Amino acid sequence: MYKEIAENIINSLNSELNGFVIDKRLINITYLNKLLNMSGLEKFIKRIDIDNIIALFIDESSIENKCLYDGCSTIQDVIEKKKCVKECLYNNIKVIKEEVAKNLRETAKNLE
């Protein structure tokens, strides 16, 4: 069950949706919570619970902040700085998605 949940999350994050949305009635919430908690992905994945819906997505704001302060901090021109942050986000989001997938798969395997 953990592997199935992990693969569904990974596939959704890698889709055009860039997120995972599911009705709570269609999933075992205990398994989902355990998978997420044990994977250590709290700083990368943002979770929103609304009524019977759960949405998970990559927290781009933390990546943007890292890009702004680490890679683009010396750029004075506002337009160039925004461009730098956008490129940095684009490059880092791929790495983050790969890391999320790796961690979810490893955690699911360990929980089975």
Side-chain angles (χ1 to χ4, degrees):
M1 186 66 167
Y2 291 107
K3 287 181 183 179
E4 182 181 331
I5 295 170
E7 288 304 319
N8 286 338
I9 293 170
I10 292 164
N11 291 337
S12 293
L13 290 175
N14 287 325
S15 71
E16 289 182 26
L17 180 62
N18 285 321
F20 175 73
V21 180
I22 192 157
D23 188 317
K24 291 178 184 178
R25 297 169 291 196
L26 301 176
I27 192 169
N28 185 320
I29 299 299
T30 304
Y31 286 171
L32 175 65
N33 291 337
K34 191 170 185 177
L35 178 65
L36 293 174
N37 291 336
M38 295 193 70
S39 66
L41 296 171
E42 305 85 30
K43 63 184 175 184
F44 297 121
I45 298 207
K46 188 163 186 133
R47 176 181 175 149
I48 298 175
D49 285 88
I50 304 171
D51 295 326
N52 288 325
I53 303 293
I54 296 175
L56 304 173
F57 55 93
I58 302 292
D59 184 7
E60 293 182 2
S61 64
S62 62
I63 303 168
E64 285 176 341
N65 287 336
K66 182 177 178 357
C67 291
L68 187 60
Y69 293 111
D70 290 348
C72 306
S73 62
T74 58
I75 300 172
Q76 297 298 320
D77 183 63
V78 175
I79 295 171
E80 287 299 316
K81 187 175 272 197
K82 285 182 180 181
K83 182 180 174 186
C84 176
V85 169
K86 187 175 181 176
E87 288 175 9
C88 178
L89 175 64
Y90 177 77
N91 292 333
N92 282 292
I93 202 100
K94 290 179 187 178
V95 174
I96 298 296
K97 285 181 180 182
E98 289 169 5
E99 191 65 27
V100 166
K102 178 183 163 198
N103 285 359
L104 285 173
R105 285 185 179 119
E106 285 179 12
T107 302
K109 181 179 175 184
N110 291 335
L111 290 170
E112 291 290 336

